[in-house]
């Protein structure tokens, strides 16, 4: 039987976020294991995620519960050994270099195109949609692709580099709508295979390649949802590569999730189960790396749109589970559900942002007018 002292301590902590143990509200935590309070108090965010995967607790509104915890800052008050371990590793090693730089491709993006096809909608775009005028996921992703192309001022005959091209949707859109030729790089073999098929017949080349190997010349560069895997130790190298590859009169659009606080590593549960060796950049980390390399022409934050995007992904994947292969078993599904709910909660609590930066090598003569 679990120690009542740990349950009381957990109850008091959750109460600060208006969450109750075994309460009747959708966001209340339903406890299935009496020993769970001690595990959570000792293990922090890693224990919370793993115990959900194990089926030790539930919440009818998982994102609602996690949103309350993040809004109340409970995650900052309960840290386990795993968080300390990651901080030490990030200090001692470059976690996003060499063989480690390919790990997220193998463990996350190569999970299976069937999974992502079921979740992401008509376009396999695995990044925040733009919901300013959109009413559904497909329209929001079309609007995001259109926004990227407008911000870059694409025109026929231009050469476009997509760093972290995913399944190739942006390159196809740009080639078909704006008459550009493109090169896309990814570290995922499954993404590359899909992108090559998607872009067949267009002037688009897809490579499985680390960004550090790039040494071509382009009129425009775009990078959507890849910078989260670069790591602060590599920001200077990343922007040096982009500067080397960009024409002197060119533009570079960087689309990334951002954090309010500077850190050297990601959440331990995310690192172990979803995005190994990842981290979100802060504004301070970005501006420090950009200094002397690029002029910031525009900084656009539409982070609140991520909550709506993630909700749509959740609705899609929950409806699709019965049609997907058995390798996505019960534990995997709970893991995926927790990942999406936690991301929703972070966007809703505004502890993560979604930034699009437009960068130029020397500054746009007469000024840059930013589309919205």
């Amino acid at each position: 039987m679990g120690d009542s002292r740990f349950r009381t301590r957990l109850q008091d902590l959750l109460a600060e976020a208006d969450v109750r143990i075994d309460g009747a509200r959708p966001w209340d935590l339903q406890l299935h294991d009496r020993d769970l309070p001690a595990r959570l108090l000792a293990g922090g965010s890693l224990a919370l995620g793993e115990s959900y995967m194990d089926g030790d607790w539930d919440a009818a509104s998982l994102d609602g519960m996690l949103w309350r915890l993040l809004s109340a800052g409970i995650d900052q008050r309960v840290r386990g050994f795993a968080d300390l371990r990651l901080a030490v590793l990030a200090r001692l090693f470059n976690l996003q270099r060499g063989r480690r730089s390919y790990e997220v491709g193998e463990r996350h993006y190569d999970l299976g195109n069937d999974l992502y096809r079921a979740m992401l909608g008509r376009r396999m775009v695995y990044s925040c949609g733009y919901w300013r005028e959109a009413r559904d996921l497909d329209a929001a992703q079309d609007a995001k692709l259109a926004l990227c192309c407008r911000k870059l001022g694409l025109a026929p005959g231009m050469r476009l580099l997509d760093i972290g091209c995913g399944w190739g949707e942006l390159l196809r859109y740009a080639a078909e709508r704006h008459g550009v030729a493109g090169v896309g790089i990814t570290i995922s073999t499954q993404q590359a295979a899909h992108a090559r098929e998607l872009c067949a017949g267009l002037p688009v080349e897809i490579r499985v390649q680390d960004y550090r190997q790039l040494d071509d010349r382009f009129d425009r560069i775009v990078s959507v949802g890849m910078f989260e895997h670069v790591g602060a130790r590599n920001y200077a190298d990343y922007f040096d590569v982009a500067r080397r590859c960009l024409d002197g009169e060119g533009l570079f659009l960087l689309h990334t999730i951002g954090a309010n606080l500077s850190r050297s590593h990601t959440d331990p549960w995310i690192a172990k189960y979803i995005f190994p060796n990842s981290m979100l950049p802060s504004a301070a980390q970005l501006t420090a790396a950009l200094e002397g390399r690029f002029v910031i022409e525009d900084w656009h934050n539409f982070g609140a749109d991520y909550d709506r995007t993630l909700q749509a992904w959740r609705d899609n994947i929950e409806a699709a589970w019965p049609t997907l292969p058995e390798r996505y078993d019960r534990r995997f599904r709970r893991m995926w559900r927790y990942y999406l709910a936690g991301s929703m909660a972070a966007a809703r609590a505004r502890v993560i942002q979604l930034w699009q930066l437009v960068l130029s090598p020397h500054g746009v003569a007469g000024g840059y007018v930013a589309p919205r």
Side-chain angles (χ1 to χ4, degrees):
M1 180 179 294
D3 193 318
S4 62
R5 293 172 300 173
F6 293 126
R7 182 184 174 103
T8 300
R9 283 176 58 193
L10 182 62
Q11 282 178 327
D12 292 344
L13 193 64
L14 294 178
E16 297 180 30
D18 190 29
V19 175
R20 300 169 188 161
I21 295 177
D22 296 333
R25 301 168 303 177
W27 61 86
D28 286 331
L29 186 150
Q30 307 302 316
L31 192 66
H32 305 318
D33 180 358
R34 291 177 179 271
D35 294 323
L36 181 61
R39 181 182 177 187
L40 295 183
L41 291 168
S45 66
L46 180 61
L48 185 66
E50 287 186 332
S51 59
Y52 181 80
M53 291 166 61
D54 294 339
D56 292 340
W57 64 274
D58 278 294
S61 175
L62 183 56
D63 56 304
M65 190 200 89
L66 295 174
W67 168 66
R68 284 167 173 80
L69 297 183
L70 290 173
S71 297
I74 303 302
D75 59 310
Q76 300 299 314
R77 296 177 54 191
V78 184
R79 293 189 180 277
F81 173 76
D83 193 76
L84 175 62
R85 177 180 176 275
L86 269 181
V88 171
L89 286 174
R91 181 176 292 272
L92 295 177
F93 303 103
N94 188 335
L95 299 178
Q96 297 84 20
R97 198 168 185 86
R99 189 70 194 88
R100 291 189 181 96
S101 66
Y102 286 85
E103 189 176 351
V104 69
E106 295 164 356
R107 289 181 48 194
H108 188 80
Y109 296 107
D110 284 344
L111 279 170
N113 286 343
D114 51 359
L115 175 74
Y116 293 110
R117 191 176 294 110
M119 183 175 81
L120 298 179
R122 179 172 56 85
R123 291 192 184 273
M124 288 178 70
V125 178
Y126 195 15
S127 52
C128 181
Y130 190 50
W131 292 82
R132 189 176 188 181
E133 297 179 358
R135 294 294 176 266
D136 59 55
L137 177 64
D138 291 336
Q141 294 296 11
D142 280 346
K144 191 263 300 298
L145 297 180
L147 180 68
C148 291
C149 293
R150 290 202 311 273
K151 287 182 176 181
L152 287 168
L154 295 183
M158 284 185 176
R159 195 160 183 252
L160 173 67
L161 169 65
D162 188 346
I163 303 176
C165 65
W167 289 274
E169 293 283 358
L170 193 155
L171 281 170
R172 181 177 73 160
Y173 186 97
E176 290 179 341
R177 303 291 182 92
H178 298 278
V180 304
V183 172
I185 66 167
T186 175
I187 56 171
S188 165
T189 56
Q190 291 210 29
Q191 284 186 338
H194 181 92
R196 288 177 184 131
E197 182 177 340
L198 185 76
C199 297
L202 295 171
V204 171
E205 177 189 359
I206 304 297
R207 307 173 185 168
V208 178
Q209 184 178 32
D210 186 280
Y211 69 89
R212 281 164 282 234
Q213 299 168 340
L214 285 165
D215 194 17
D216 300 61
R217 200 74 171 167
F218 298 89
D219 301 291
R220 299 289 190 268
I221 299 177
V222 66
S223 185
V224 178
M226 175 271 181
F227 194 72
E228 300 88 338
H229 307 305
V230 172
R233 286 194 175 197
N234 304 297
Y235 289 167
D237 289 345
Y238 176 91
F239 288 120
D240 281 341
V241 169
R243 182 65 189 85
R244 181 175 74 227
C245 291
L246 184 62
D247 180 81
E249 302 302 316
L251 293 173
F252 173 22
L253 186 145
L254 177 67
H255 171 122
T256 182
I257 304 172
N260 294 342
L261 299 174
S262 298
R263 299 193 71 195
S264 62
H265 59 283
T266 192
D267 172 83
W269 186 86
I270 290 289
K272 184 174 180 179
Y273 291 99
I274 306 297
F275 296 120
N277 307 321
S278 65
M279 61 159 286
L280 302 183
S282 70
Q285 289 168 328
L286 269 173
T287 54
L290 287 167
E291 187 171 326
R293 295 180 172 89
F294 284 98
V295 174
I296 301 174
E297 300 287 354
D298 184 48
W299 194 312
H300 184 189
N301 185 355
F302 51 98
D305 285 13
Y306 226 139
D307 187 12
R308 294 184 68 179
T309 303
L310 287 152
Q311 289 182 50
W313 289 347
R314 176 188 59 188
D315 292 345
N316 285 347
I317 199 63
E318 291 294 344
W321 286 131
T323 69
L324 291 172
E326 292 182 1
R327 68 176 182 275
Y328 305 121
D329 59 14
R330 178 177 179 273
R331 183 175 171 81
F332 180 93
R333 295 178 189 191
R334 288 183 70 89
M335 176 191 78
W336 207 253
R337 190 173 296 132
Y338 187 84
Y339 153 53
L340 294 177
S343 300
M344 283 178 230
R348 195 176 308 160
R350 300 308 305 276
V351 298
I352 63 170
Q353 311 304 323
L354 191 287
W355 296 325
Q356 281 194 350
L357 282 68
V358 176
L359 311 170
S360 69
H362 308 295
V364 175
Y368 174 83
V369 179
R372 292 289 187 269

